Amino acid sequence: MSTFYATVWCARISILLTIIRIGCDRRRCQVLSLVVLLFTLLLSALIGQLFWVCEPQRRQTASRISNCLPNAQMAIVQIVADVFADLTLLISSLQMFRVIQDNSLRHRLKFIFSTCTATTIVSIVHVSFILKSKETKMLIAALVEDSVSLIVSSIPVVANIFFHLNSSDTAGLIHSGIYPSNLQRTLHF
């Protein structure tokens, strides 16, 4: 289960680092860097809670393989952390729209970062299965949540590839000042 948390939270950190990389002023980059640290602390807290809850369960069984089932406490902490993280990602990306003037890039950014809500929806479904103690559905929902998180964190990379392929169109816009100068580094690998 710790790999589940690691996958979801590393994907969120990746999205946040994409926001930082695309463009922000010095103050905003410092704040977002602190948010990356906060996400890392939330990941550590969730994994710590996992060991705190699961270690007593492991000691009660004779098996060396831990078969820990998440409880309601874990589900509530997980959903609060997930919603907080996804709202933070959405708000951070919305602030970027003030800087970017090109409508096509704005639409791409809306698509990229609105997919964060897909992760939140799958997370809510996953938590509901934890609360209802439906083991098989909970496991499937966890795998879907991991997959959606990885897809969402990969979308900016794929978008950058399309930008790079279309660099003749965007190069003129960068030099004309429509895109932030930090975006130029993002478009050219």
Side-chain angles (χ1 to χ4, degrees), residues 40-161:
T40 306
L41 291 174
L42 282 171
L43 169 62
S44 300
L46 287 167
I47 291 175
Q49 182 189 32
L50 177 70
F51 288 116
W52 178 28
V53 169
C54 292
E55 188 60 26
Q57 289 180 13
R58 188 186 67 81
R59 287 185 184 165
Q60 293 174 356
T61 62
S63 174
R64 298 287 299 165
I65 300 172
S66 177
N67 191 15
C68 179
L69 294 175
N71 60 17
Q73 173 195 16
M74 291 173 68
I76 291 168
V77 171
Q78 179 183 338
I79 194 65
V80 168
D82 288 349
V83 170
F84 167 75
D86 291 337
L87 282 175
T88 302
L89 290 172
L90 286 171
I91 291 168
S92 299
S93 63
L94 288 175
Q95 291 175 346
M96 205 172 10
F97 290 119
R98 291 184 298 161
V99 177
I100 297 173
Q101 302 297 321
D102 181 43
N103 282 335
S104 65
L105 183 58
R106 290 170 67 98
H107 291 301
R108 289 177 189 144
L109 288 172
K110 285 178 190 175
F111 172 74
I112 289 169
F113 294 111
S114 65
T115 54
C116 293
T117 56
T119 307
T120 304
I121 292 168
V122 175
S123 178
I124 291 170
V125 171
H126 179 224
V127 167
S128 70
F129 288 143
I130 291 172
L131 293 173
K132 292 179 182 178
S133 298
K134 300 197 176 209
E135 294 177 36
T136 305
K137 291 180 180 180
M138 176 186 61
L139 179 62
I140 292 170
L143 292 172
V144 169
E145 185 175 354
D146 271 352
S147 300
V148 168
S149 296
L150 290 173
I151 289 168
V152 167
S153 67
S154 298
I155 287 175
V157 175
V158 174
N160 282 337
I161 290 172

